Amino acid sequence: MGKELLSRLLPGVLPRVLSGVPSGGRGTGLILALVSALAFGGSGVAAKPLIEAGLDPLHVVWLRSAGAALVLLPVAWRHRALVTRRPALLAGFGLLAVAGVQTCYFAAISRIPVGVALLVEYLAPALVLGWVRFVRRRAVSRAAAAGVVLAVGGLACVVEVWAGLRFDALGLLLALGGAVCQVGYFVLSDHGGDDAEAADPVGVIAYGFLFGALLLTAVARPWAMDARVLAGSAELCGGDVPAVVLLAWLVLIATVAAYLTGVVSVRLLSPQVAGVVACLEAVVATVLAWVLLGERLSVPQLVGGAVVLLGAFVAQRSAPREGGVRGGGDGLRGGLADGAPGGLRDGLPGGLRDGLAGDPPGGLQDGLRDGLRDGLRGGLREAEGRAGGRELSGDTPRS
């Protein structure tokens, strides 16, 4: 689910970035996306042996967050203005996307297979649509509803409901809690501010791990951790691996490298391609858990997992994008700003084109109506200023 979180860190930025990205850049983005998926997919495989060796899941989450925060400390210092400019976004990312998601995920994999826990978390896009439909009371498309049905039906196959939930119920609830934490962050990011003030995702990630580590320090109480586990070894693939090696992989590869390559890849790829590649995270995690941890899934579970990923992809593509509506209003306002008919003629198609990126149609209508009203008012004020000499523009001439 790391890729989905990264895509949510770029609200309104992605369309502008993609318009100037050459095809060669997208090829590089695809390679980086694959590297990121491989790195993200290995987090559970590295963490579960540490948990089985005697570390508490909360302590593993704290070690991962604190280690990543330490490595990314220079990045946080470079983006220190974010602390005062976007404190709610940073706190939300630290609390929900870092502390909440990882704690639920690592606690879940201590009770159920890695692949199953990650597939349950892939219900997050479907839950977002449920929030939009029943809390925001906004219509969703038939494709979005189909994605939700696919995700839920596939999950029923993964957990084998016909066998009476053969997996630990608490483990499944913890994995579902991780999905709910992701939904909470998605909702927060949608209300994080205007597109023009979008925060740099690298800075958000750095401070997210910093804030997450601080929050987890109070909850996990790392001073009570059994440090002897880190000095020893953990079992992986039938052999003993130094625990510090697994921890280094978890921090440097499955966290820092995964997030940084993911940020760059999301900037270079289209949302559709990024969504497909994001699904590889679950595939990689399942395969690695199968090979290294011996966690084999049955054929119905594998088929169900594929259906979950398909449903998550459909739901993610069909999610409403309010930024498109706001973009439509901005385009109209820009075209009408000078009060000239030519500005209206040039700005209206752009406003319509940008507004159509939003969903549902009701949101588009609202955005166009508001943009037209604001634009006309601005045009009238500008026209009055021209008629009255420098009443509006002041003493400084405008070119």
Side-chain angles (χ1 to χ4, degrees), residues 200-247:
D200 190 304
V202 177
V204 175
I205 290 169
Y207 276 104
F209 280 105
L210 184 60
F211 287 179
L214 293 175
L215 291 170
L216 287 167
T217 299
V219 177
R221 297 185 299 171
W223 51 86
M225 178 174 50
D226 188 359
R228 293 174 298 179
V229 176
L230 296 178
S233 59
E235 184 179 353
L236 181 66
C237 196
D240 291 334
V241 178
V244 291
V245 173
L246 292 174
L247 180 60

Side-chain angles (χ1 to χ4, degrees), residues 120-131:
V120 172
E121 288 194 1
Y122 263 85
L123 284 178
L127 294 177
V128 169
L129 286 173
W131 178 84

Side-chain angles (χ1 to χ4, degrees), residues 10-386:
L10 296 166
V13 177
L14 197 56
R16 293 194 293 270
V17 173
L18 290 173
S19 62
V21 174
S23 58
R26 295 189 183 184
T28 302
L30 181 59
I31 295 175
L32 291 174
L34 292 172
V35 171
S36 181
L38 287 170
F40 273 125
S43 64
V45 176
K48 189 159 188 173
L50 293 175
I51 296 173
E52 293 180 342
L55 285 180
D56 188 277
L58 271 176
H59 292 156
V60 177
V61 177
W62 181 84
L63 287 169
R64 183 186 190 187
S65 302
L70 185 62
V71 174
L72 294 173
L73 197 57
V75 178
W77 175 255
R78 179 179 179 182
H79 296 278
R80 57 190 179 276
L82 285 175
V83 176
T84 56
R85 189 163 62 90
R86 303 295 293 277
L89 181 64
L90 301 183
F93 188 76
L95 175 63
L96 298 174
V98 174
V101 172
Q102 293 187 57
T103 299
C104 290
Y105 176 56
F106 284 172
I109 65 175
S110 69
R111 310 178 73 95
I112 61 177
V114 171
V116 173
L118 197 54
L119 287 171
V120 172
E121 288 194 1
Y122 263 85
L123 284 178
L127 294 177
V128 169
L129 286 173
W131 178 84
V132 170
R133 177 65 183 89
F134 297 107
V135 179
R136 297 285 302 277
R137 297 186 181 280
R138 292 176 53 189
V140 297
S141 65
R142 293 181 179 178
V148 174
V149 172
L150 285 172
V152 174
L155 182 63
C157 294
V158 171
V159 301
E160 294 185 344
V161 291
W162 57 84
L165 290 178
R166 51 172 295 200
F167 295 116
D168 183 83
L170 180 57
L172 293 175
L173 287 175
L174 287 168
L176 184 60
V180 172
C181 286
Q182 292 192 47
V183 172
Y185 176 71
F186 291 169
V187 172
L188 175 66
S189 66
D190 277 342
H191 294 81
D194 298 334
D195 293 347
E197 299 179 356
D200 190 304
V202 177
V204 175
I205 290 169
Y207 276 104
F209 280 105
L210 184 60
F211 287 179
L214 293 175
L215 291 170
L216 287 167
T217 299
V219 177
R221 297 185 299 171
W223 51 86
M225 178 174 50
D226 188 359
R228 293 174 298 179
V229 176
L230 296 178
S233 59
E235 184 179 353
L236 181 66
C237 196
D240 291 334
V241 178
V244 291
V245 173
L246 292 174
L247 180 60
W249 175 275
L250 185 62
V251 172
L252 299 177
I253 305 299
T255 305
V256 176
Y259 272 98
L260 294 182
T261 55
V263 165
V264 179
S265 68
V266 170
R267 287 178 180 268
L268 296 177
L269 293 175
S270 68
Q272 291 81 4
V273 175
V276 173
V277 177
C279 293
L280 292 178
E281 178 187 345
V283 177
V284 170
T286 302
V287 172
L288 289 179
W290 191 328
V291 173
L292 299 179
L293 301 179
E295 296 180 345
R296 289 174 169 79
L297 301 182
S298 65
V299 173
Q301 289 175 320
L302 293 175
V303 173
V307 175
V308 170
L309 297 181
L310 176 61
F313 175 61
V314 172
Q316 187 178 16
R317 288 194 61 186
S318 304
R321 292 184 176 88
E322 296 182 2
V325 177
R326 288 196 299 267
D330 293 342
L332 284 169
R333 282 193 290 272
L336 292 167
D338 58 1
L344 172 61
R345 184 175 60 250
D346 295 337
L348 186 57
L352 284 169
R353 181 179 62 250
D354 294 339
L356 285 173
D359 195 16
L364 172 62
Q365 293 169 2
D366 294 341
L368 293 177
R369 183 182 65 250
D370 294 344
L372 184 61
R373 183 185 64 246
D374 295 344
L376 286 173
R377 288 176 180 173
L380 289 174
R381 285 196 297 268
E382 182 70 17
E384 291 172 358
R386 289 174 181 171

